[in-house]
Amino acid sequence: MLSDDQTRRILDAVDAGFDAQLSFTQDLVKHPSLRTREGSAQDLMFGAMSGRGLEMDRWELDAEELSAHEGFGPVTVSYEGMTNVVGTYRPGTERGRSLILNGHIDVVPEGPSEDWSRHPWDAPVIDGWMYGRGAGDMKAGLAANLFAFDAVRAAGFEPAGRIHFQSVVEEECTGNGSLSALMRNYRADAVIIPEPEEDMLVRANVGVLWFKVRVTGNPTHPREMGTGFNAIDAAYTAMSALREVEEKWNADRGQHRYFEDLDHPINFNFGGIAGGDWPSSVPAWCEFDVRAAIYPGITAEHAWAELQECLAHLGRGPAPIKAVGVKTGFFSEGYVLEPGSDAEAMLERTHAQVFGRKLESFTTPGYLDGRVFALYADTPALVYGPVSESIHGFDERVSVESIRRITKSIALFIAGWCGIDDRPENPAQG
């Protein structure tokens, strides 16, 4: 248990370093780390970690190696040049509990820039909010991990437990980045992932499947449309069939703990569509992309089998439609953070100290890398982060004061969880 003086010194150190933290976060947002283009942002993270004297590891993801794991998400891009960055702090004498501070560097596409009220990569701070693609999801959290650690040290202490700082790719599409770090044997007694979670803790989280549906038509000249088969029209019939599965799964929510009171926990998103070759031919093909959610406790294989049966059934009716699904990314299961862990109790204390109120938890219908640690490492994964708005949308933004408070809570967690020793008065660099 930290003393009042130790707590005050750490909280004051967060405040003292907060301008530098915001500046670093802005620099990070200015790197458009879209999928396959994360390199420059990872360079920045590597420099920030190595400059803190951490033991550095950077490696390229290996799709073939990852495919042997049950949590693997199928890959449709080359992983050449796509790297994870991990910096490890090791105390002189490791007597405290270990910790992973995880975050993803990849961001979703920004959409048409003209529909933003300001440029998506400029990262201005306006009226207490930092704007920009990835500002909330989740570069503010990545920076908070590092600057929370800085505050502990600036307050005159050294953590007494091992800490792995992880900046991973692929969270927005497969989850293979955190999975790769786990397969590289980075493990600890607890994990914090400061995703944009409204100053709350995620209690339960859906699994996600990504797949593409290809519908085959029969091309003819438009003058003979009645003798052809329009694949684009048929694609909407396939979408309607998938909507029926979505509603069936939503009707089952009462059977799934923590999802009973959500109005619509299972969402199928049709995120892209393409079809046909030109206007004067009945379309011979149409493809559409789907993101489907599943409940914790439902295996990805089981859900996939039901979705495949839905599509196969379309080919057995009086007007058969040939629709084939192919996995394209996430093939992940959901998870529940079981209450009662020592890690959650610690976070409850640090949150109350900083926010002056009880830590609340909630269920989210979005994907989180917490599933990697919860399902495959039996490790409490505390997904807990700042208030944000319009993540994945136009004018994404994150609350500056929420960042400050979350950083303070993480800093106190580091000190309380790992333990602390007094730093030497003139410690060597790093």
Side-chain angles (χ1 to χ4, degrees):
M1 185 74 70
L2 301 179
S3 70
D4 290 345
D5 178 66
Q6 289 170 329
T7 298
R8 178 190 55 76
R9 286 161 61 183
I10 291 170
L11 297 180
D12 287 348
V14 172
D15 287 330
F18 194 64
D19 286 346
Q21 179 177 343
L22 286 185
S23 178
F24 177 80
T25 306
Q26 288 175 300
D27 287 346
L28 202 54
V29 172
K30 290 175 184 178
H31 289 260
S33 50
L34 298 161
R35 191 182 193 190
T36 75
R37 292 161 50 189
E38 307 93 343
S40 67
Q42 288 293 58
D43 291 343
L44 184 60
M45 290 300 296
F46 188 98
M49 292 182 194
S50 61
R52 288 164 167 80
L54 304 179
E55 174 187 306
M56 297 307 301
D57 186 16
R58 185 172 187 173
W59 72 96
E60 189 174 275
L61 271 63
D62 184 330
E64 183 176 357
E65 179 183 59
L66 283 160
S67 67
H69 197 285
E70 63 177 305
F72 168 71
V75 182
T76 58
V77 300
S78 169
Y79 276 169
E80 183 177 357
M82 292 178 64
T83 61
N84 279 346
V85 173
V86 174
T88 298
Y89 163 81
R90 298 185 191 276
T93 301
E94 189 171 336
R95 62 173 184 80
R97 290 173 291 196
S98 57
L99 178 63
I100 289 172
L101 294 171
N102 171 283
H104 65 88
I105 196 72
D106 56 312
V107 300
V108 302
E110 72 276 25
S113 295
E114 62 269 21
D115 289 326
W116 288 65
S117 64
R118 52 194 52 77
H119 197 275
W121 310 109
D122 279 352
V125 174
I126 302 171
D127 296 331
W129 295 88
M130 181 185 294
Y131 288 79
R133 173 57 83 232
D137 190 13
M138 61 167 291
K139 291 179 176 178
L142 271 171
N145 285 340
L146 288 174
F147 282 83
F149 173 70
D150 288 351
V152 175
R153 303 179 87 191
F157 310 114
E158 289 283 1
R162 170 175 41 92
I163 305 174
H164 301 296
F165 297 86
Q166 299 182 345
S167 178
V168 302
V169 295
E170 288 288 280
E171 191 272 351
E172 297 286 7
C173 44
T174 64
N176 289 342
S178 285
L179 185 63
S180 178
L182 180 69
M183 292 175 69
R184 206 167 173 88
N185 208 33
Y186 285 107
R187 296 172 183 263
D189 297 317
V191 181
I192 290 181
I193 307 177
E195 289 270 16
E197 302 299 354
E198 313 309 305
D199 297 337
M200 293 189 287
L201 175 68
V202 174
R203 175 63 61 205
N205 167 227
V206 297
V208 171
L209 278 64
W210 268 21
F211 58 99
K212 184 184 294 291
V213 177
R214 184 176 179 93
V215 179
T216 302
N218 180 29
T220 64
H221 193 284
R223 71 183 183 183
E224 300 163 345
M225 280 183 63
T227 64
F229 185 84
N230 189 311
I232 294 177
D233 287 342
Y236 286 99
T237 301
M239 290 181 188
S240 294
L242 289 170
R243 285 280 182 232
E244 292 179 8
V245 176
E246 176 189 25
E247 290 313 306
K248 173 178 173 288
W249 290 359
N250 274 294
D252 291 340
R253 62 186 177 276
Q255 302 176 35
H256 298 276
R257 189 168 47 123
Y258 300 117
F259 291 84
E260 310 97 320
D261 297 328
L262 299 187
D263 290 336
H264 203 274
I266 299 300
N267 294 307
F268 286 15
N269 184 58
F270 302 124
I273 186 169
D277 298 304
W278 72 331
S280 286
S281 292
V282 171
W285 65 278
C286 184
E287 294 180 340
F288 60 94
D289 295 305
V290 188
R291 180 267 197 198
I294 61 176
Y295 295 109
I298 303 295
T299 68
E301 289 289 356
H302 179 85
W304 179 240
E306 187 168 346
L307 293 167
Q308 289 286 70
E309 174 55 28
C310 168
L311 297 175
H313 182 74
L314 295 172
R316 297 194 289 265
I321 295 172
K322 184 180 179 182
V324 178
V326 179
K327 293 178 279 189
T328 58
F330 286 121
F331 200 68
S332 67
E333 298 174 16
Y335 75 95
V336 170
L337 174 68
E338 296 294 345
S341 70
D342 289 345
E344 183 174 337
M346 178 65 70
L347 188 62
E348 288 174 345
R349 288 197 293 273
T350 66
H351 179 89
Q353 285 176 291
V354 173
F355 286 83
R357 62 177 186 265
K358 181 180 178 181
L359 176 64
E360 297 180 32
S361 63
F362 74 114
T363 297
T364 173
Y367 170 84
L368 294 168
D369 267 353
R371 62 103 188 186
V372 171
F373 307 98
L375 296 178
Y376 308 124
D378 193 26
T379 304
L382 307 175
V383 182
Y384 163 79
V387 171
S388 299
E389 293 182 354
S390 297
I391 61 171
H392 293 217
F394 299 129
D395 289 344
E396 176 179 348
R397 64 182 191 170
V398 58
S399 163
V400 170
E401 283 309 306
S402 179
I403 296 171
R404 186 195 300 268
R405 291 192 294 268
I406 288 291
T407 305
K408 288 181 175 181
S409 184
I410 294 173
L412 293 180
F413 186 96
I414 291 170
W417 183 256
C418 299
I420 51 175
D421 295 314
D422 290 333
R423 292 193 83 189
E425 284 197 18
N426 295 299
Q429 181 67 30

